[in-house]
Amino acid sequence: MQKKLVIVESPAKAKTIEKFLGKDYKVMSSYGHIRDLKTKEFSVDVRNNYEPQYVIPLDKRKLVSELKKASAAAEEVLLASDEDREGEAIAWHLSEALGLQSEKTQRIVFHEITKPAIMHAVTHPRSININLVNAQQARRVLDRIVGFEVSPILWRKVKPALSAGRVQSVAVRLLVEREREIQQFVSEASYRVTAHFLLSDGKTLLKTELNRRLKNREEAREFLQYCLSAEFTVDDITTKPFRKSPAPPFTTSTLQQEAARKLSFSVSQTMIVAQRLYESGYITYMRTDSVNLSDLALGTSRETITKTYGEKYYHFRKYQTKSKGAQEAHEAIRPTDMNAPEIQHGSLQDKRLYDLIYKRTVACQMADAELERTTISIGIEGKKEKFTATGEVIQFDGFLHVYMESVDDDAEKEQENGLLPPVTLHETPGLDGITATERFTQRPPRYTEASLVRRLEELGIGRPSTYAPTIQTIQNREYVVRGDKPGEERTYNILALKDGKVMSEEKTEMVGVDRNKLLPTDIGTVVNDFLMEYFPDVMDYNFTASVEKEFDAIAEGELVWTRAMDKFYRFFHPIVEATAAIKTAHKVGERQVGIDPGSGEPVFVKIGRYGPIAQIGQANPENKKAPKPRFASLIKGQSIETITLEETLKLFDLPRSIGAFEGDGLTVGIGRFGPFVRHQEKFISIPKTLDPYTISEEEAIQLIVEKRAKEAERTIKLFAEDPDLKILKGRFGAYIAYQGVNYRIPKDAAAPTELTLEACLKIIEFSPEKTVKKRNAVKRK
């Protein structure tokens, strides 16, 4: 009989833990949750105290059978899932689904996968914390109620196959509101004045800036003209020491933000890499909102810092977690071994993220950076304004020797000021040059994944375990895309003193260019507006944050989870019923942009089955002979909120015929996946470099020829007896393509060029992928 069975969440973790435990232990993995609510059913018995109806998914039944058999054979079962609420729920589900006996079942937790941590956990087991389990159940049930009750309304009122989520919908609201702020933003101009002064040595130039912005061109011109004959005097020199302190060690959200800024990782990518590092034993648990460090970590950090950099670089700091709901773990994210500045194994991504975590942890226990800031003020004869120059000098680098925290936006980045030249008080420098440059107020920045996480955390929405899934979900549902905005060209004015005159010059610059930002789609915007109109309380930031606090109270045993569900349902369900009963004259999100001058019919934009569309005319069910409305898809970059009548009407110029090739016509149109050329029932995508409204016959033919050449390069073998079957060259080698499905070629098969039609059909018939679909295809043959 196996003495002890340890069940963890992932096979990678099982492999690492197995190294630390002796032959008396067997370590198995549950591969995450083994029970959940039914996928396509409500699965919450509202009349029976909100009891969840859990099922074991089909793909987990074999695993559950194996775990049951192993647990029955063991003297003791140790449930070692993660130490957060989700992990506690997994342990409870295992106990329930496997029918574990309480007298031989224990719960063990650890926040790092090292031998001391595992051995300590094994010798200090506890029982399952039902309060943590209930907090997770409450989140799961409440989210199921919102999703299953609101989604059908969206299907009827907006578009089929849409869905709503409690936290996700609020995240989309943040993005939609920011986008509207940007659209409504009106930039205001002012003039920034800079001057170069020649110091008393006759060689050194001092660059300065006027201490206020000038309102307009006339004021700037008058000021420069005045400076032509003015006298300037150094009237103040101040030098002040100041310090910079390091940022605290990483929590989940700060790690996601910093990895995005420094490594260009997406939020989900950061969590995948951090999970690997944790399961490999390199870092502590990665879902945490605590900034606390253990005494062991503090002690080893001191040893590392004093040994590597010297005693003067060390400064003890004990960080305290400010978040009231801090419950996801008991320690910040840190390396498990502070004597290991790098890891020898793992991918490049693993090594880069580990390096970031290591340096941040070391830096938080290092001394402040000591700097000195000098400000020189130059007065202008007869004016209140002053020119100033600021310089910073690092006297002692402290933690900056290892690490400096990044910021999100250019506006937040501090100007790097170097050492200033020697200047004497009351010195009268000569004016070498002065420039007034027209500058504009900046619109609010669009959110990145990192800055959205920061904002959600500021509002108290979500928890460490929910940030990455939330951001991934709103992108998967196509409510939000991560993309670029091209910006636009803007003209600005420069005034400069030259040869005793004020000269004016016009220049251009690109503004509003965005890279890798989160942008709400038309569908996301329409869904947000609908939810804001009919479910304003659920979409309220404070309400969503208060729900999180209720989950925290449940986890602390201060609130019964079913009472919290009942309170929410009694408030929420009547709103759902009232909204479902409302009949609207037009579809949600539909906007009339004007009248078609050719037909006199109204022109609309709205959400169609496959996305945003334009429509001319309206259906008349009472008159079957009446002209039917015409439809056209919006192209990428257009929005139903901002598109004009002229732009909308242009969409109806397509499809258009542009000539012929090989005796068949060439038609240009726009479909679900963008603009295309249609030829011989085949669709060839039009690249961004060509305009579908102006593409010529020659350019279309060239696209067709290029696509054929690429396909010929990919083609290994064709079969005249069955044109649907092809052997093609892919990224990972040769494969069979047949009736829209791809099939691997077994290693023991003949060379791709030697395969016969019969051999290919046999491979398809016995291929494990998409068996039903493939066998049906073979039967049809």
Side-chain angles (χ1 to χ4, degrees):
M1 176 181 275
Q2 197 76 41
K3 289 186 179 179
K4 293 185 180 181
L5 172 68
V6 180
I7 304 178
V8 297
E9 286 182 40
S10 75
K13 193 191 295 185
K15 195 175 179 182
T16 308
I17 291 173
E18 218 161 20
K19 297 174 187 175
F20 305 137
L21 299 173
K23 60 182 180 179
D24 291 339
Y25 291 85
K26 181 179 182 179
V27 185
M28 295 180 72
S29 170
S30 70
Y31 292 82
H33 278 279
I34 61 160
R35 290 201 315 179
D36 200 0
L37 301 175
K38 296 175 184 177
T39 308
K40 295 183 179 180
E41 294 180 28
F42 187 42
S43 298
V44 177
D45 192 347
V46 175
R47 295 180 181 178
N48 189 21
N49 211 20
Y50 301 90
E51 184 179 345
Q53 297 169 342
Y54 295 114
V55 293
I56 298 169
L58 194 64
D59 61 343
K60 287 291 181 80
R61 288 179 186 174
K62 184 181 177 184
L63 173 64
V64 169
S65 178
E66 291 170 356
L67 289 172
K68 268 187 181 179
K69 187 177 178 181
S71 61
E75 289 182 4
E76 186 179 16
V77 179
L78 299 175
L79 303 173
S81 48
D82 290 341
E83 62 172 335
D84 55 11
R85 294 172 191 171
E86 203 74 27
E88 204 72 20
I90 288 173
W92 178 75
H93 281 296
L94 282 166
S95 178
E96 295 288 309
L98 303 182
L100 301 179
Q101 300 169 17
S102 58
E103 60 269 16
K104 76 167 200 174
T105 305
Q106 298 276 9
R107 171 87 167 105
I108 62 171
V109 293
F110 40 84
H111 62 269
E112 60 182 64
I113 303 176
T114 58
K115 188 167 185 178
I118 300 302
M119 299 314 295
H120 180 271
V122 167
T123 54
H124 295 81
R126 61 169 173 81
S127 58
I128 291 172
N129 186 331
I130 199 64
N131 291 330
L132 295 180
V133 174
N134 287 340
Q136 189 274 344
Q137 285 197 106
R139 180 186 294 277
R140 189 76 183 91
V141 168
L142 192 144
D143 288 347
R144 175 57 65 98
I145 290 171
V146 172
F148 264 69
E149 295 228 330
V150 176
S151 296
I153 296 175
L154 292 177
W155 303 342
R156 292 195 299 272
K157 306 283 187 182
V158 183
K159 174 181 174 287
L162 294 178
S163 57
R166 180 180 56 85
V167 176
Q168 297 95 314
S169 298
V170 175
V172 174
R173 178 188 169 187
L174 280 168
L175 297 169
V176 171
E177 288 182 345
R178 177 55 55 87
E179 195 64 28
R180 284 180 174 153
E181 282 179 51
I182 292 168
Q183 289 169 5
Q184 294 164 11
F185 180 78
V186 178
S187 185
E188 295 180 2
S190 62
Y191 277 76
R192 174 176 177 255
V193 182
T194 57
H196 287 83
F197 290 97
L198 190 63
L199 301 182
S200 56
D201 63 2
K203 300 176 184 177
T204 309
L205 286 175
L206 177 67
K207 185 181 178 181
T208 65
E209 183 175 339
L210 194 67
N211 61 357
R212 78 172 182 91
R213 296 286 177 102
L214 304 181
K215 293 179 181 178
N216 50 49
R217 189 180 304 197
E218 290 70 28
E219 187 181 6
R221 183 182 289 276
E222 287 174 10
F223 181 81
L224 264 62
Q225 197 71 47
Y226 180 87
C227 288
L228 268 172
S229 55
E231 187 174 289
F232 304 92
T233 306
V234 176
D235 57 13
D236 189 37
I237 303 172
T238 58
T239 300
K240 291 182 180 179
F242 71 101
R243 291 171 173 263
K244 284 184 179 178
S245 298
F250 282 129
T251 62
T252 301
S253 67
T254 54
L255 177 63
Q256 290 168 344
Q257 292 167 50
E258 196 72 341
R261 292 184 290 235
K262 276 189 160 62
L263 308 179
S264 299
F265 283 10
S266 69
V267 166
S268 58
Q269 184 183 6
T270 298
M271 295 312 293
I272 290 168
V273 176
Q275 179 97 22
R276 281 204 302 265
L277 291 173
Y278 166 65
E279 291 178 347
S280 301
Y282 292 129
I283 64 170
T284 54
Y285 191 54
M286 66 286 160
R287 293 190 187 95
T288 174
D289 45 14
S290 171
V291 291
N292 178 47
L293 290 175
S294 67
D295 292 339
L296 177 64
L298 293 170
T300 53
S301 294
R302 176 174 185 167
E303 290 173 13
T304 299
I305 293 164
T306 54
K307 183 180 177 181
T308 309
Y309 306 107
E311 190 71 39
K312 66 177 181 177
Y313 276 91
Y314 173 72
H315 180 81
F316 173 79
R317 286 182 177 83
K318 188 78 172 175
Y319 292 96
Q320 297 295 324
T321 303
K322 295 177 183 178
S323 170
K324 290 181 181 178
Q327 46 76 31
E328 299 289 349
H330 305 294
E331 199 172 354
I333 303 169
R334 62 164 177 84
T336 54
D337 182 4
M338 293 304 299
N339 293 313
E342 57 186 38
I343 56 174
Q344 302 303 317
H345 305 287
S347 67
L348 179 62
Q349 290 179 339
D350 295 351
K351 292 176 180 179
R352 292 178 73 202
L353 191 66
Y354 179 85
D355 179 68
L356 192 69
I357 295 167
Y358 181 86
K359 287 178 177 176
R360 174 84 162 221
T361 309
V362 169
C364 81
Q365 293 301 306
M366 292 180 73
D368 288 350
E370 297 173 9
L371 299 93
E372 192 175 77
R373 181 181 289 128
T374 300
T375 303
I376 298 170
S377 175
I378 298 177
I380 309 164
E381 179 189 15
K383 289 277 187 183
K384 291 180 180 179
E385 292 87 355
K386 296 179 184 297
F387 284 103
T388 60
T390 303
E392 288 180 6
V393 179
I394 296 175
Q395 304 289 349
F396 172 61
D397 57 1
F399 77 92
L400 293 176
H401 193 82
V402 173
Y403 183 87
M404 180 63 183
E405 187 179 29
S406 300
V407 292
D408 282 321
D409 304 304
D410 293 338
E412 296 179 36
K413 294 178 183 175
E414 294 182 13
Q415 183 182 353
E416 292 185 10
N417 298 306
L419 188 65
L420 296 176
V423 178
T424 308
L425 191 64
H426 305 309
E427 180 180 338
T428 55
L431 183 64
D432 185 72
I434 184 168
T435 303
T437 306
E438 189 179 20
R439 294 290 78 201
F440 300 85
T441 50
Q442 292 186 330
R443 59 164 175 76
R446 288 186 171 92
Y447 285 106
T448 60
E449 286 192 354
S451 61
L452 181 59
V453 166
R454 184 177 67 180
R455 185 63 181 140
L456 289 170
E457 187 177 39
E458 287 171 354
L459 292 169
I461 296 168
R463 286 293 179 261
S465 59
T466 65
Y467 298 135
T470 295
I471 290 174
Q472 192 61 52
T473 298
I474 61 178
Q475 291 181 72
N476 291 345
R477 290 177 176 172
E478 297 182 353
Y479 292 162
V480 172
V481 293
R482 192 169 62 164
D484 305 334
K485 282 283 185 178
E488 56 188 25
E489 195 172 74
R490 178 172 66 193
T491 302
Y492 67 99
N493 174 250
I494 298 176
L495 299 175
L497 283 180
K498 196 172 184 181
D499 300 326
K501 295 179 181 179
V502 178
M503 308 297 289
S504 179
E505 182 184 5
E506 302 295 318
K507 287 193 174 183
T508 58
E509 61 184 348
M510 288 299 294
V511 293
V513 178
D514 274 323
R515 297 277 182 267
N516 213 24
K517 297 293 178 74
L518 293 176
L519 310 169
T521 63
D522 278 333
I523 294 172
T525 302
V526 169
V527 168
N528 173 77
D529 291 349
F530 176 80
L531 295 176
M532 284 296 295
E533 182 176 354
Y534 294 104
F535 299 92
D537 291 327
V538 178
M539 295 289 284
D540 182 76
Y541 299 132
N542 293 328
F543 171 80
T544 310
S546 71
V547 170
E548 295 293 344
K549 289 177 183 176
E550 288 195 351
F551 292 154
D552 294 340
I554 294 166
E556 294 294 327
E558 299 168 359
L559 180 64
V560 178
W561 80 273
T562 50
R563 288 181 186 169
M565 294 304 99
D566 191 56
K567 175 186 169 186
F568 174 79
Y569 190 75
R570 288 178 184 278
F571 147 76
F572 179 69
H573 187 65
I575 301 173
V576 173
E577 290 184 320
T579 305
I582 295 171
K583 294 183 178 180
T584 54
H586 60 86
K587 201 124 185 182
V588 174
E590 187 175 272
R591 179 171 78 92
Q592 183 172 339
V593 294
I595 300 294
D596 174 30
S599 64
E601 296 281 354
V603 181
F604 303 94
V605 285
K606 63 182 183 181
I607 299 297
R609 187 175 179 185
Y610 299 114
I613 59 170
Q615 174 182 332
I616 296 179
Q618 291 176 296
N620 186 352
E622 295 178 3
N623 182 4
K624 293 182 179 180
K625 294 182 179 180
K628 292 182 179 180
R630 291 183 289 148
F631 299 94
S633 297
L634 270 65
I635 60 176
K636 191 174 180 180
Q638 291 180 328
S639 167
I640 61 174
E641 280 213 321
T642 57
I643 192 169
T644 63
L645 175 62
E646 183 183 2
E647 291 167 338
T648 307
L649 292 174
K650 191 176 180 182
L651 296 171
F652 291 90
D653 291 345
L654 300 178
R656 67 187 182 96
S657 177
I658 57 169
F661 179 51
E662 297 175 342
D664 290 296
L666 296 170
T667 305
V668 177
I670 295 178
R672 272 181 80 186
F673 307 107
F676 61 83
V677 174
R678 185 175 182 178
H679 177 252
Q680 294 177 346
E681 299 306 314
K682 290 187 177 179
F683 296 86
I684 299 91
S685 294
I686 298 175
K688 292 179 182 178
T689 51
L690 293 174
D691 185 344
Y693 296 100
T694 59
I695 186 172
S696 65
E697 180 186 60
E698 292 75 19
E699 289 169 329
I701 292 170
Q702 187 179 347
L703 291 176
I704 294 167
V705 171
E706 287 173 357
K707 184 175 181 181
R708 286 178 179 176
K710 284 182 182 177
E711 287 181 347
E713 287 175 13
R714 287 180 60 224
T715 304
I716 296 173
K717 192 171 184 179
L718 301 174
F719 298 91
E721 314 96 284
D722 190 343
D724 283 348
L725 199 150
K726 301 174 185 176
I727 301 177
L728 302 174
K729 194 186 297 177
R731 225 175 123 193
F732 305 106
Y735 66 94
I736 298 169
Y738 187 53
Q739 295 185 344
V741 186
N742 298 335
Y743 307 90
R744 294 188 191 95
I745 297 175
K747 291 180 181 177
D748 57 355
T753 52
E754 303 299 321
L755 284 172
T756 63
L757 177 63
E758 290 72 27
C760 289
L761 290 173
K762 195 171 183 180
I763 290 170
I764 291 169
E765 185 175 1
F766 295 101
S767 180
E769 301 104 347
K770 298 183 182 176
T771 307
V772 175
K773 186 172 181 180
K774 294 178 204 176
R775 286 184 181 165
N776 285 343
V778 173
K779 283 176 187 175
R780 282 195 298 271
K781 272 319 287 177

